[in-house]
Amino acid sequence: MIRLVGLGRMGLGMARRWHRKGLRVVGFDPDPRARERAEASGIWARETLEALAEGALPRLFWLMVPHEAVEGVLEALAPHLRPGDRVADGGNSFYKDTLRRARALRE
């Protein structure tokens, strides 16, 4: 299962393609309208990051949020991460920021 954070234009498009290919996708977006569009497409949507993180380990979290939102999303998600979980930043973050964040999450 892919846990997708960000159900905007790009994130929802990816979720729809994954869903059509038979992958299980559950998503989160703070905008209730984005969650409604996802549900209308057959994508499970959760109202909180905490609810998105529920389930079997390990988990894959894929972020499709604007680069300026990544820090905040990771800060909110970090308390719910467990050893073995993976986080992919699917946005356009500067690679040095991605490396720094990876080191911080490993700690």
Side-chain angles (χ1 to χ4, degrees):
M1 176 185 297
I2 301 172
R3 289 166 167 79
L4 181 65
V5 179
L7 295 168
R9 184 178 196 152
M10 291 181 67
L12 183 56
M14 290 177 66
R16 286 173 174 155
R17 284 189 297 280
W18 288 334
H19 180 68
R20 282 194 305 266
K21 295 288 184 180
L23 295 172
R24 291 178 45 202
V25 182
V26 61
F28 165 75
D29 196 291
D31 183 348
R33 293 169 301 186
R35 294 193 305 268
E36 288 171 11
R37 286 190 297 271
E39 292 275 346
S41 297
I43 310 299
W44 298 331
R46 300 294 182 260
E47 293 185 13
T48 65
L49 280 174
E50 181 178 18
L52 182 71
E54 293 174 355
L57 301 175
R59 300 160 300 179
L60 169 61
F61 296 91
W62 191 293
L63 310 185
M64 286 303 295
V65 298
H67 69 89
E68 61 270 5
V70 173
E71 294 287 338
V73 169
L74 287 176
E75 286 176 16
L77 184 60
H80 307 291
L81 296 175
R82 300 294 174 260
D85 285 346
R86 299 285 183 243
V87 178
D89 180 3
N92 62 351
S93 292
F94 183 56
Y95 79 98
K96 288 186 178 181
D97 289 335
T98 300
L99 295 173
R100 175 183 50 77
R101 292 173 185 140
R103 283 191 301 271
L105 286 175
R106 264 194 296 273
E107 294 173 6

